[in-house]
Each structure stands twice: as C-alpha cells, then as structure tokens.
Amino acid sequence: MKRKLISVVLSAALVLTSMGTTAFAASSKSDSSSSGSDLDEVAEAADNIGVSDDSSSDSKESTVYVVSDANGDKQDIIVDSWLKNKDDADTLNDKTTLTGVENVKGSESYSENNDGTITWKAGGNDIYYEGRSTEKLPVDVSIDYELDGSKIDGKDIKDVTGHLKMSFTYKNNTAKKTTINGKAATIYEPYAMVSGTVFEDSSVKNLSIKNGKIINDGTRSIAVGMAFPGLAQSLGIESAGIPESVTIEGDVEDFDLMGTLTIGTSDALKKLDLDSISSADELSKKMDELQAASTKLVNGSKELADGTVTAANGADQLTGGINTLANGAYTLDSGVSAFAGGTSKLASGASQLQDGADKLASGLTTVKSGLDSADIAGNSQKMLKGLQQISYSIKGSDNSLYAGAEGIQQGANKISSSINGRLVPGAKEVASGGQALASNAQSLAAGASKISSGLSSAQSAASETAKYANSTSSAISAAEAAVKGLDPSTPGYSQALGALEQAKAAAGATAKYASGVSGGIGGAVSGAKSLEAGAEKLSGGASQLSKGASDLASGAGAIADGSEQIASTAGRMAAGASAITSDDNLGAIIGGVSKLAASSGQLTSGVDQLQKGAVALASNMGQLTQGALDLNAGAAQLKAGTSKLAAGANTLNAGAVKLANGMTALESGAKTLSDGMYEFDQKGIKKLTEAVNGDLAGTFDRLNAVKDYANSEKPYGGVLDGETASVKYIYKTAEVTSDDKDSSKSEKAESSDKSKKPSLFGSKKSK
C-alpha cells in the first residue's frame, strides 16, 4: 500500500512541477535580452504557480517577499496586498497585522477602527497596499554551498571556479498535533516550495538538479526544483521519498552567485475537492473519470501542438505576405504622389491651353477679317497690270530706256577718248612749247586747228549725251509713275521702285554732267578760235598763250573725269534696265503674282475652316479643363487613401512580426504542454488510478485533515473574519559579485537592499 501511496504523492509533485517549469520556460523565452534582474523574470514566471483557477473568489490576495542574504538568513519581510472591490464600493474594510501600511497604486487613504480593522476610502477602486511584518514565516528556507567538496559561505561565492553544489532546505513551521481515526498524528500545512536560480551558459557546464528541471533559452540556464516540506509526515509516508529539498550542481568558472528565488504556496491542497468523495469506491469511480478526461486532454494537447506548428508556419507565410504588402503599399503611395503631382500640372496646363485656344480663335477671326478686306484676288490683278506697264515702259517699242543708257555710255566714252587722245596732248604741247610757239607759228596754227576740230567733236558728243540723258530721265519718270500706281504690298514693289529712283538719279546726274561738259567745250572752242585768229599775234601774246594752255589742260582734265563718271553711270543705268527687263526677274515677279491670285481662294477657304475649328476647340476646352481639375481632386483623395494604406500596412506588418514571434513561442509552449501532458498521463494519472485500487482509506482521511488544517489557518498578514485570502511567498537571496565585474552586475547586487523586491503588481489590473 505504501508503494502505491508513494506513486500518488510523486504524481502530485509531477503535476506541480510541470506547471512550474512550463511557466518558467515561457518567461525565459519572452525576453532574453532584458536589462533587469534575471530573477525578476523568474519571479514573473512563477507568479501564477500554484494559484487555483477560482482564486478570483478570494477577497484578498497577498504576496509575501522575504529578502535574505546569500545563505537564506532573512533580513526583511515585505507584504503586498491586493484588496478586491468586487461591488465597486466607496469604502472597503480590511484586517491586517502589517506595519507601515502604504498605498502603492493610488491616492486612497484609510482610517483605523477600534476593533483592529481598517477602512479604506476606495471610491469604487481596488486597493493595492504594502507593509512590513515580523510574524514568523510558515516555512523557512536555508541554502548551503559547497565548492569542490568544501563548505563555503554564500557571500564568498564571487569569481569562483570549480564544482559548485547548492542545497535548498525547507523547514515547515506549521506543525500541529491532532488525532486521525483515533490515532495521534502530526500534520503540516501543505506548502509546495519552488526554488530556482539562473546560470549564464558561458560560466557553467554539466549543470544538473535533483527534484527539478533545467530550462535553457540558448544563452542562459534556469534551474528549477520543487519540494513539499512536511507533506510526507502529514500523510504518514515518511519513507516514500517525497522531495523535501532541492540540490543544484555544476562546474563553474569565474562564477558570481546571481541570487536565488523561491516561491511557496499552499493553495493547491486548499482547493482540492474532497467533499464529494465519501468512500474509496467513489474515489475509484472519480479516478476512472479522471483517467478518461486525462486521455482526452493528452490527445487534445497533441492536436494543439500539431496545430500550432501549422499555425506557426502560416504565421511566417503571413508575415512574408504582409511585408510584401507593406512594400507594395509604400511603392503605391510613392507612385500616387507622383501621379497627383502630374495631375496638378495637367490641370495647370489645361488652363493655359484654354487661354491659348481662346487667343487662337480670336487671332484667326482677325486674320479672316483681314483677308476678306485685303481682296487678294482683285489686288493681284492690279499688280499684274502694273507690272506689265512697267515692262512696257522700260522696254518700249524700241527698248528706249536700255538704248538711251547705252548711248550715254558710248558718248561718254567718245568724249573721254577725244579729250585723252587729242585735247590733252595738244594742251601739253601748248604748255611745254610756249617758246617754240613763237618761233613756230605755222605749227601753232595747225595745232589750233586740231584743237578746234577736237573740241567740235567733243561738243557734239556732249550734246548727244545730254539728249540721251533727258530722254532716259523721262522714260524712268513714266515707269516710276506706273509703279507708284500699284499696291505697296505687291511683291517686288519696293525693289522696283528703288531701282527706278536710282536710275532716275543717275540720269539726272548724267544730264547735269553733260551740260557742264557742253559749256566747257563751248569755252574751249572760243579759245581755240581766238588762238587760231591770233596766230599772227603769237609773238606778242606768248605769255597769254602759256596761261591759256594751262587753263586748257585743267579744263581738259575736268572734262575727262566727268566723261568717265558719265560712262560709269550710264553703264549702271544700262545694267539696271537690263535687270528690270530680264525675263527671269520680271517673269518671276509676274509668275508669283499670278500664283498669288490663283491661290487666294484656297487661302481664304483654309483660313475660314481653321477659324471655325479654333472656335470649336476653344468651346470644348472648358470640358477638358474641368476634367483635369476633377482628376487632380480625385488624385489628392487617392493620395490620402494610399498614405493611410501605407501606414496601416506598416502597422499590420509590425503586428504580423509580433504574431509570428508569439506563434513561435506558442508552438514551443504547446510542444512542452503536449510532452508534459503525456508524461502526466503516463506517470501520474495512470499510476494514481492504479493506486486507488489499494487501501487508501487512511491516506484519504489524512488528506482531509491536511486540507481542513490549511483552510482553517489565518492567512499571513491578516484577513477579515468570514473572508478568504490567497497568499504567495517569494524568498529572494542576495546576489554576490566580484569588484571587477561590470557595472550591470553591480546594479543587480542592489536587489539585496531591504527596500528592494521583485514587483509582481505589473500583472495586476484594476477595474
């Protein structure tokens, strides 16, 4: 029978251990890089260990913090209490044995009553308060250390190397003598004590634990063990091997003691429902039901583990898809921004295009009006008629303009030839032969005769030149009058009129020069006659002859220069007349005017169609402009929507990453749960069911006695009569670090201060 009872107790221990280590594993994976104390993580993970599902029915929950040195010798006891205001009452009554009570989460105050209770002015809120206690603890925890087989004080475990052994011993201080089935017995409150500490993987190897488990997160190992001090004595099975201590061993190097944490609770057996079981047979029946439920639970946990694997894979795929969505949303937002900018420019351009279309329609209307008033066809006919008159005036029936200019050029050339060939040599002979003239009168008479003859020829040529010049000038005047009768806008008008004016000026100059030459020749003829008449008086007038010869030479030079200018001008006149009357030039002008007249109708028709099209374009541009404005407004709305989409996609992406991380943690937890449930079913429930087949009457009575004792004791710190409270104990020992360790280790060592404790209120939520 005792062998079976041992199985019962060990199964219960296994249940509690599975609960504890699962919580520790979840905590260790939640934030391996936290800068806070590693033991605080252990404390948070252990917050729910041993708390029954119906703990919310308790009116008060307390956590007792026992701050100790490295060996477990207590230095301070701090109690945090949560007073639940389930009815949202304005005031809450409580009973407490604590001193230095202080509200830690609000400003509500309390007053002390004569009956030893206190009243909080809650205002409908829950109350969280803290105080200190000197009451005896239900369980004392002590820790012994050995390094390489020799005992060592906890405060000396700093920067040590060797084989380290840590032994947790628990003393249950709640012994009570009673009688069970007529026999004397000693029972204890049923406390489950969970102890643990953290080792950095870089400083420990070959880590092991007795009555516990090792959990590793990749960089650290958490050693967690469980013991039930006094339970074996309470059940009368001292030799059953129920664990009452925890031992941790490992090979350490440059190791500093990080401190330890122990959580104690008696809630597990307090809430054990034994009232409905009145006999061993009924217990057997209940155990059969428990076995069936356990089997279902094992199957369900296996399905949960398989499902979480699938869900984790799906979460990874979802994360990848959402990341793609976020990138696409960002790209879309950027593209829409560019699109919105383009529509703004489009709207502006459409407005400018509207203005341009209006101006085009207006300008083409003006052009059409100008074409109508210009009468291109009629004026082209007039231009043709005028050009024909110009051609006739210049050419004439005998090509008089060109012939006159050519005659002037020929006469001038004759004058120049005569003067240079006859007059100039004669004058030179007179000038140089004054002395010879006196002696050679006969030669002088002959020379005078030659001079007279040459002068006569020159005078005849000058008269002829003057005649031709006057005739040319008249012809040019007639042509000029004809050109001036044309429309000034006629192509070639300005060029023709300019050429005629130039020719007229040249003809006038020629006439002027010819008149001057004629007058000079007349004087020369008189002189020659005087020379000829006075040949007999040559002897007496030699000096006069010399002077006259000099004058004659000067006049002859002037005549020669004038003749050359006349010849040059006459040549230009002839060239101008030839250019005007050329078939290529005048014919091109006449042909161009003819084409202008023929094309004027097409031009007028084309401008008319263009003007109508421009008017229609301007009238339809309003719709285009409004459409561009509407498009721009829609683009702005689209931009606002895509910006929100991008922001939402980023938020979704961040949530998906958290989901994936959570699913990974869930997958690991579900696997641990599945393995634990299988072990629980095989080593716990099945063996427990087998044990029920034995004689458990005595053990059953002892369990009831232990449960009754646990429920009859007043909770640590006090509670109102008639109210229930759950109490949890957290024992924290100090860290020990060497002086040359980094500052983060030194900061952790401060947790040994009396005012320091792991804070678990972060998990409490007020209403």
Side-chain angles (χ1 to χ4, degrees):
M1 182 182 71
K2 288 188 176 182
R3 181 182 59 79
K4 295 182 178 179
L5 289 177
I6 292 173
S7 299
V8 174
V9 176
L10 290 177
S11 298
L14 179 62
V15 173
L16 293 175
T17 303
S18 298
M19 293 169 59
T21 54
T22 301
F24 278 122
S27 173
S28 66
K29 292 182 179 180
S30 64
D31 186 6
S32 62
S33 62
S34 173
S35 61
S37 172
D38 294 322
L39 292 177
D40 285 347
E41 295 181 21
V42 179
E44 290 183 29
D47 188 26
N48 293 317
I49 295 178
V51 177
S52 59
D53 293 338
D54 60 350
S55 61
S56 60
S57 64
D58 296 322
S59 61
K60 184 177 182 179
E61 289 187 18
S62 296
T63 302
V64 180
Y65 298 97
V66 182
V67 182
S68 307
D69 63 14
N71 297 312
D73 297 331
K74 59 180 176 292
Q75 297 174 333
D76 197 9
I77 300 175
I78 306 169
V79 182
D80 282 344
S81 293
W82 172 20
L83 201 58
K84 302 177 183 179
N85 194 347
K86 298 180 179 180
D87 297 326
D88 300 330
D90 290 333
T91 60
L92 285 177
N93 290 329
D94 185 31
K95 185 174 183 179
T96 181
T97 60
L98 305 180
T99 60
V101 173
E102 179 183 357
N103 190 332
V104 294
K105 290 195 69 174
S107 59
E108 299 88 353
S109 61
Y110 71 92
S111 59
E112 297 181 355
N113 304 317
N114 294 330
D115 59 358
T117 62
I118 60 175
T119 300
W120 287 91
K121 296 178 181 179
N125 299 320
D126 289 0
I127 301 297
Y128 301 86
Y129 68 86
E130 175 183 285
R132 279 178 163 75
S133 176
T134 58
E135 289 184 54
K136 186 175 181 62
L137 293 168
V139 179
D140 290 330
V141 180
S142 61
I143 310 173
D144 295 322
Y145 304 92
E146 293 181 16
L147 184 64
D148 293 331
S150 299
K151 289 191 176 183
I152 183 174
D153 195 283
K155 67 178 182 297
D156 296 327
I157 303 179
K158 50 185 177 182
D159 201 21
V160 299
T161 299
H163 185 78
L164 180 67
K165 180 178 180 181
M166 303 172 60
S167 299
F168 292 81
T169 303
Y170 312 95
K171 180 183 178 183
N172 194 325
N173 298 316
T174 65
K176 175 184 177 182
K177 294 186 179 300
T178 186
T179 300
I180 302 175
N181 294 330
K183 296 180 181 180
T186 300
I187 60 175
Y188 299 83
E189 285 190 64
Y191 279 94
M193 307 299 292
V194 180
S195 295
T197 189
V198 179
F199 295 86
E200 296 291 343
D201 288 351
S202 59
S203 63
V204 66
K205 295 180 180 178
N206 304 318
L207 189 64
S208 64
I209 187 171
K210 181 181 179 182
N211 300 326
K213 289 187 177 181
I214 304 293
I215 302 99
N216 187 278
D217 67 357
T219 59
R220 300 170 303 176
S221 293
I222 302 176
V224 183
M226 179 173 281
F228 305 89
L231 182 60
Q233 293 88 335
S234 296
L235 298 178
I237 52 173
E238 291 84 346
S239 61
I242 295 177
E244 294 197 350
S245 63
V246 173
T247 302
I248 303 172
E249 295 186 66
D251 298 320
V252 298
E253 182 178 0
D254 297 331
F255 176 74
D256 289 346
L257 184 61
M258 194 172 291
T260 68
L261 199 69
T262 298
I263 294 91
T265 179
S266 64
D267 283 351
L269 286 180
K270 278 185 180 181
K271 306 301 181 180
L272 187 62
D273 183 14
L274 299 176
D275 294 338
S276 61
I277 304 176
S278 58
S279 66
D281 291 339
E282 190 169 353
L283 176 61
S284 178
K285 181 180 178 181
K286 293 289 185 180
M287 288 308 303
D288 289 339
E289 294 175 358
L290 179 61
Q291 175 66 66
S294 176
T295 301
K296 291 181 180 179
L297 188 58
V298 170
N299 295 335
S301 64
K302 178 62 169 60
E303 293 177 1
L304 173 63
D306 294 341
T308 54
V309 171
T310 302
N313 294 334
D316 290 338
Q317 295 176 359
L318 175 63
T319 301
I322 291 176
N323 184 53
T324 302
L325 171 64
N327 293 335
Y330 176 77
T331 302
L332 175 62
D333 185 46
S334 300
V336 170
S337 296
F339 173 65
T343 57
S344 177
K345 293 180 180 179
L346 175 63
S348 176
S351 179
Q352 295 176 357
L353 185 60
Q354 174 75 62
D355 294 340
D358 292 340
K359 292 179 181 179
L360 175 63
S362 175
L364 286 173
T365 300
T366 302
V367 169
K368 183 176 181 302
S369 176
L371 286 175
D372 292 342
S373 62
D375 190 13
I376 294 176
N379 288 325
S380 296
Q381 294 299 325
K382 293 180 181 180
M383 288 172 62
L384 285 173
K385 184 177 180 181
L387 288 171
Q388 291 170 356
Q389 292 176 355
I390 291 172
S391 177
Y392 181 79
S393 298
I394 292 176
K395 292 183 177 181
S397 59
D398 56 356
N399 201 16
S400 58
L401 178 61
Y402 178 79
E406 191 176 43
I408 292 172
Q409 184 180 22
Q410 292 175 356
N413 288 332
K414 287 181 179 181
I415 292 173
S416 177
S417 177
S418 297
I419 292 175
N420 289 327
R422 298 178 181 179
L423 183 58
V424 172
K428 287 182 179 180
E429 289 177 0
V430 172
S432 65
Q435 296 297 326
L437 182 61
S439 60
N440 296 306
Q442 199 64 32
S443 297
L444 180 59
S449 178
K450 291 180 180 179
I451 291 171
S452 178
S453 176
L455 290 173
S456 296
S457 298
Q459 186 177 24
S460 176
S463 297
E464 187 176 357
T465 299
K467 174 182 176 182
Y468 287 137
N470 288 330
S471 175
T472 300
S473 179
S474 297
I476 290 173
S477 296
E480 182 179 18
V483 171
K484 287 182 177 181
L486 299 175
D487 189 337
S489 63
T490 301
Y493 175 86
S494 297
Q495 293 84 348
L497 187 61
L500 290 173
E501 288 178 350
Q502 187 178 14
K504 182 178 178 181
T510 301
K512 180 179 179 180
Y513 293 146
S515 296
V517 170
S518 180
I521 292 174
V525 170
S526 297
K529 287 182 178 181
S530 297
L531 178 62
E532 186 178 7
E536 287 119 359
K537 298 178 180 180
L538 180 61
S539 309
S543 57
Q544 293 180 357
L545 177 61
S546 179
K547 183 179 182 299
S550 298
D551 293 339
L552 179 62
S554 298
I559 292 171
D561 291 341
S563 296
E564 290 177 357
Q565 292 179 0
I566 290 172
S568 176
T569 301
R572 289 197 299 271
M573 289 173 59
S578 177
I580 291 173
T581 57
S582 171
D583 291 338
D584 291 338
N585 294 330
L586 189 61
I589 295 172
I590 294 174
V593 172
S594 298
K595 289 181 179 179
L596 176 63
S599 302
S600 62
Q602 296 178 357
L603 175 63
T604 302
S605 175
V607 170
D608 182 60
Q609 294 179 1
L610 185 60
Q611 186 265 343
K612 291 179 180 178
V615 171
L617 174 64
S619 64
N620 292 325
M621 276 305 300
Q623 296 179 358
L624 175 62
T625 301
Q626 185 60 47
L629 292 174
D630 293 342
L631 179 62
N632 186 36
Q637 294 178 353
L638 179 60
K639 174 64 177 68
T642 56
S643 295
K644 293 180 179 178
L645 174 62
N650 286 333
T651 301
L652 183 60
N653 189 37
V657 172
K658 292 182 179 179
L659 173 62
N661 293 337
M663 288 306 302
T664 300
L666 177 61
E667 178 186 359
S668 176
K671 178 65 168 57
T672 302
L673 174 63
S674 179
D675 293 343
M677 285 307 305
Y678 178 78
E679 185 177 5
F680 169 57
D681 181 67
Q682 294 296 314
K683 297 182 180 180
I685 298 300
K686 285 185 177 180
K687 291 186 177 182
L688 186 60
T689 303
E690 292 171 0
V692 171
N693 294 327
D695 183 7
L696 295 179
T699 303
F700 183 76
D701 291 337
R702 282 179 173 268
L703 283 174
N704 271 317
V706 171
K707 176 187 174 185
D708 292 341
Y709 178 36
N711 287 323
S712 65
E713 285 299 295
K714 290 294 184 181
Y716 194 92
V719 69
L720 283 175
D721 293 338
E723 298 288 346
T724 61
S726 64
V727 182
K728 195 179 333 182
Y729 299 85
I730 297 179
Y731 302 74
K732 186 177 188 299
T733 63
E735 301 176 46
V736 180
T737 58
S738 58
D739 296 336
D740 59 349
K741 292 293 182 179
D742 58 60
S743 59
S744 64
K745 293 283 187 180
S746 298
E747 291 174 1
K748 291 180 180 180
E750 296 178 2
S751 63
S752 63
D753 189 280
K754 292 184 179 181
S755 62
K756 301 292 184 179
K757 65 182 189 310
S759 176
L760 301 184
F761 275 137
S763 62
K764 310 292 187 188
K765 294 184 180 179
S766 59
K767 294 182 289 183

